[in-house]
Amino acid sequence: MQTLHNGEPVKWSVITKKLVREPRPRRVLVGRAAYSVPGADGLNWGALANCESGGNPHAVNPAGYYGLYQFDTGTWRSVGGSGLPTSASAAEQTYRAKLLYQQRGRSPWPTCGRLL
């Protein structure tokens, strides 16, 4: 890292280094895995989410589509969702998308459904 003062580089030197603790790899889990839905597991849900919303579970389309899989509110409620998809976890949104896939195949996602 370089320090600047009034846009000009400042000379610096390291006085001392001290390692407090050896770094260790660790696994961080966020949320929980989506429930299993027969016939919809094993598909590439990450690719669909990236295509639909850029992988953002809080994405909102001005046309009225919400969440990872760009649900409209009617479709979200038809698969048992409550409130808006953007207020549900990513795992919940994936579970509801799997239920929708089980009912209607990839037709709810006419452009990105090919990625499943």
Side-chain angles (χ1 to χ4, degrees):
M1 187 173 104
Q2 188 175 30
T3 305
L4 301 176
H5 180 74
N6 293 331
E8 297 295 321
V10 176
K11 292 186 181 203
W12 56 275
S13 62
V14 176
I15 297 172
T16 181
K17 284 185 179 182
K18 181 179 179 184
L19 181 63
V20 177
R21 184 178 352 162
E22 284 294 324
R24 294 187 321 228
R26 64 184 180 146
R27 188 174 183 190
V28 178
L29 301 176
V30 179
R32 58 173 222 56
Y35 289 114
S36 177
V37 175
D41 292 329
L43 298 175
N44 195 348
W45 293 100
L48 179 64
N50 281 332
C51 179
E52 287 287 326
S53 65
N56 180 1
H58 305 291
V60 177
N61 180 309
Y65 298 97
Y66 304 90
L68 278 172
Y69 305 101
Q70 295 293 282
F71 287 99
D72 65 20
T73 53
T75 304
W76 177 250
R77 289 192 179 98
S78 76
V79 290
S82 61
L84 289 175
T86 52
S87 48
S89 69
E92 176 75 12
Q93 291 181 43
T94 300
Y95 172 65
R96 302 292 170 197
K98 287 179 179 182
L99 291 176
L100 183 60
Y101 178 83
Q102 189 180 43
Q103 293 172 1
R104 297 173 28 194
R106 62 184 196 186
S107 66
W109 305 283
T111 304
C112 298
R114 63 183 165 69
L115 299 172
L116 285 173

